[in-house]
Amino acid sequence: GKHQLYSMGITLEGHERLFAVGTWDGQLRIYNIEDNPNNNQLALVQKFFKQVKWPVIDIAWSKNNKSLYYTMIDNTVCEIDLHKPTINNKVCSHSDIIRNIFYFEGGDSLVTASFDKTIKTWDLKKPTPSSIIELGHKPYATDMCDSLIGCGLSNETVVTIQLSPYNKKSVQMSQLGKHSQIQCLAIDPIGSAMAYGSNDGRVSLIKLTNNYIMGVAEQVTSLSYLDPIFSFKAEKQEIPGSTIMHNINAIGFNSRNPKWFFTASSQALSAWNYQSKNRVDSTPTQRPVTSCGVSHSGQFMAYGLGNDYHLGPDVPLNQPTDLRVHYITDIEVEKTKWV
């Protein structure tokens, strides 16, 4: 709506046709994706709305969609019980902005990545963190797949962390090139690849391979990068005397075909196949795609159009946030080249 400055977070990690949105002007909304019999298109029906005190930075569903967790610029994480939406519970906090939050079903806990240069895990029954992982630098973008965490840091490095059993950590320099700041990051649904994008239109994909290290009486998994798949200029064009580039604001994969992934930028929504190393589709959006998510089944993509907060506070915030949902067909997800 017109009062929303820009979309900050979209998640379809809950129920298949339910997705949540958190915005910079402190709004939490949940929509149901419904079929519109009048025009064979999808319709968004709002099921929940709550105004909170501070801008919302990230959101995460709990197990069975009973609660919604959200982090705000006051460095806290709060929980809304969707069966008792008038009650807000403060769950945990950091000493600086919490950039990303995840619900970890394997441990029935929360995982938070903060600008205080730490990742923390939280037992929901305890007020103090279960573990603290020191990063040494600010995490600009983080994703999680099962117990695997991928994190792009402010010093142009990428970290992978295997939470269990010993929080094993691997570090590699970013493949984007010098001075390309990591802005978004995603791990594919089976934990075999990771992609990250930059503020100057570059994207890099890395294959993740398990190395097994025999510990005392058990096997410990350590993740290392063995095969950089490729790096490319997704939204960057260099012509004589000029360079045109657009932020990569979001990246995501699809569980129906892990080789398929999308990039959302300040000018277009594009689909790629990293096996064929081709852009297979692209839709100009006229306005920046500020946030984007794909459902677990890979059937739905939801995204927000609006003002690009990555461009800084001087960008005119005069455009409303426009929420859209797209049904991803089998033909789209199996493309290997642009037809």
Side-chain angles (χ1 to χ4, degrees):
K2 65 181 180 179
H3 300 297
Q4 293 176 281
L5 300 185
Y6 31 73
S7 179
M8 288 292 289
I10 289 177
T11 178
L12 287 98
E13 293 182 359
H15 189 271
E16 179 58 28
R17 285 190 168 232
L18 206 64
F19 78 93
V21 180
T23 66
W24 185 251
D25 57 347
Q27 295 184 6
L28 290 170
R29 297 174 184 264
I30 296 176
Y31 295 89
N32 194 49
I33 303 171
E34 299 183 2
D35 297 315
N36 188 336
N38 297 323
N39 54 16
N40 294 320
Q41 294 184 349
L42 298 173
L44 297 179
V45 178
Q46 183 173 294
K47 296 295 184 181
F48 174 85
F49 169 82
K50 187 172 185 65
Q51 181 73 48
V52 296
K53 186 175 181 181
W54 302 103
V56 179
I57 296 178
D58 201 15
I59 50 181
W61 290 98
S62 72
K63 187 176 181 180
N64 300 324
N65 314 320
K66 292 181 179 179
S67 299
L68 190 66
Y69 297 96
Y70 62 97
T71 176
M72 301 180 290
I73 62 165
D74 66 345
N75 311 338
T76 65
V77 173
C78 292
E79 174 193 11
I80 288 182
D81 184 333
L82 296 179
H83 298 291
K84 302 174 183 178
T86 57
I87 300 176
N88 267 19
N89 295 319
K90 179 180 173 181
V91 179
C92 57
S93 64
H94 279 254
S95 60
D96 205 338
I97 294 291
I98 301 169
R99 183 64 186 88
N100 293 106
I101 178 174
F102 306 93
Y103 181 81
F104 178 35
E105 288 194 24
D108 192 24
S109 58
L110 290 181
V111 177
T112 51
S114 168
F115 280 2
D116 66 9
K117 304 176 184 178
T118 67
I119 287 177
K120 296 182 180 181
T121 62
W122 306 83
D123 184 325
L124 294 173
K125 300 180 180 64
K126 299 177 181 178
T128 56
S130 304
S131 66
I132 301 175
I133 301 167
E134 297 288 346
L135 299 172
H137 300 273
K138 291 183 178 181
Y140 282 168
T142 306
D143 194 21
M144 187 170 180
C145 176
D146 296 326
S147 60
L148 170 64
I149 298 173
C151 192
L153 304 183
S154 58
N155 68 333
E156 299 177 15
T157 61
V158 181
V159 175
T160 53
I161 300 164
Q162 188 72 47
L163 278 187
S164 57
Y166 298 125
N167 293 345
K168 299 293 291 186
K169 184 167 67 173
S170 300
V171 182
Q172 187 193 55
M173 288 301 300
S174 165
Q175 302 294 306
L176 295 172
K178 198 171 183 180
H179 306 308
S180 288
Q181 176 184 301
I182 297 172
Q183 190 144 295
C184 56
L185 180 148
I187 302 172
D188 78 4
I190 59 175
S192 65
M194 181 169 63
Y196 48 95
S198 72
N199 62 339
D200 60 353
R202 295 174 182 266
V203 171
S204 184
L205 280 97
I206 298 292
K207 185 175 180 181
L208 299 172
T209 305
N210 287 335
N211 284 335
Y212 292 97
I213 304 171
M214 294 303 295
V216 179
E218 68 177 323
Q219 222 173 37
V220 181
T221 301
S222 175
L223 279 147
S224 63
Y225 303 92
L226 297 183
D227 182 15
I229 299 172
F230 71 126
S231 300
F232 61 100
K233 298 172 183 177
E235 299 293 347
K236 184 173 184 177
Q237 294 177 300
E238 294 177 350
I239 56 178
S242 178
T243 300
I244 302 171
M245 56 189 178
H246 300 274
N247 292 339
I248 305 296
N249 292 335
I251 285 182
F253 290 88
N254 193 302
S255 59
R256 287 150 65 198
N257 180 4
K259 301 294 188 294
W260 181 98
F261 69 100
F262 72 84
T263 57
S265 75
S266 51
Q267 71 156 4
L269 194 60
S270 298
W272 309 78
N273 183 295
Y274 74 68
Q275 189 171 38
S276 63
K277 299 185 178 180
N278 285 328
R279 188 197 302 253
V280 296
D281 206 349
S282 186
T283 303
T285 56
Q286 309 303 322
R287 285 182 287 158
V289 182
T290 56
S291 189
C292 192
V294 176
S295 64
H296 274 194
S297 71
Q299 295 288 339
F300 298 102
M301 173 187 287
Y303 57 98
L305 300 176
N307 299 279
D308 194 344
Y309 71 97
H310 288 111
L311 298 179
D314 297 328
V315 177
L317 301 177
N318 56 358
Q319 299 185 66
T321 294
D322 184 9
L323 295 175
R324 299 185 183 182
V325 64
H326 171 68
Y327 180 83
I328 303 172
T329 67
D330 291 339
I331 294 175
E332 286 178 275
V333 85
E334 293 300 331
K335 276 186 176 181
T336 58
K337 62 181 180 179
W338 200 327
V339 178

